[in-house]
Amino acid sequence: MAGRVWGKKARNREVIMEAAKALFEREGMERVTFNDIAEEAGMSRTTIFNHFPTINDLLLALAEQEFQSIMDYYVTTRLSGRELIMAMFNRLIDDTCDFPVLTTRLISTILIVDSERQTFSKFLDMIEENLDPAFPEEEREEIAIMLTGNYFGLIGYNFFRHESFNRSKMKKHFAVLASKIF
């Protein structure tokens, strides 16, 4: 994961990323060009390319931004155990409901790109670290698998059933599924 950048460059990067997220969701990933992002961000196309040479670089940055947000929460929250695990998944659900199409694309990017798999592996570690230490390690791994599977399953279910991405409904559904696991 790249180090954080501060100042005007960081603000420009953030504006570009927010513009891209909105466009990807509104227009669909395949239809958005760097020209579209530049127009939405109020910047030149060259500025966009200076930050992100390819759409894949932009997607990786968006995935890293999402993970960094969860890491920041993990480090600063006073929650622990099951409460923390549920709060992290609720944050993911919030972002998923805001950007379901983009989230699905980021998930596929995470699965394909080795460096991103390693990043997501840290998320699994955070889950396992917050499970009851009385659980054997193998059982903690299984619970982490089931919880992440439930999250991915909810996304797929909503797409397959043409359901809206309603955050309160998804959080409630996730909580019911999680209660059957731990």
Side-chain angles (χ1 to χ4, degrees), residues 12-31:
N12 284 346
R13 182 178 172 89
E14 188 66 30
V15 167
I16 293 165
M17 292 170 72
E18 290 303 313
K21 284 172 27 177
L23 280 170
F24 290 153
E25 203 59 42
R26 192 171 60 236
E27 305 297 329
M29 298 286 299
E30 294 75 26
R31 290 189 212 117

Side-chain angles (χ1 to χ4, degrees), residues 89-146:
F89 277 105
N90 283 335
R91 291 176 67 90
L92 283 174
I93 290 169
D94 283 335
D95 288 344
T96 300
C97 290
D98 290 338
F99 302 102
V101 172
L102 177 60
T103 298
T104 304
R105 181 66 181 265
L106 292 178
I107 289 169
S108 67
T109 300
I110 288 168
L111 293 172
I112 294 168
V113 179
D114 188 49
S115 63
E116 296 307 306
R117 280 195 306 257
Q118 292 170 358
T119 299
F120 191 76
S121 179
K122 292 176 187 173
F123 179 73
L124 295 172
D125 292 342
M126 292 186 300
I127 294 169
E128 291 173 25
E129 289 168 6
N130 280 280
L131 291 169
D132 187 338
F135 291 136
E137 183 178 341
E138 185 176 296
E139 194 169 337
R140 287 195 306 272
E141 289 174 3
E142 291 169 355
I143 292 170
I145 290 167
M146 288 187 282

Side-chain angles (χ1 to χ4, degrees), residues 66-74 88 92 123 126:
E66 177 64 24
F67 182 74
Q68 188 59 52
S69 170
I70 291 171
M71 282 297 296
D72 291 347
Y73 178 76
Y74 182 79
M88 289 189 311
L92 283 174
F123 179 73
M126 292 186 300

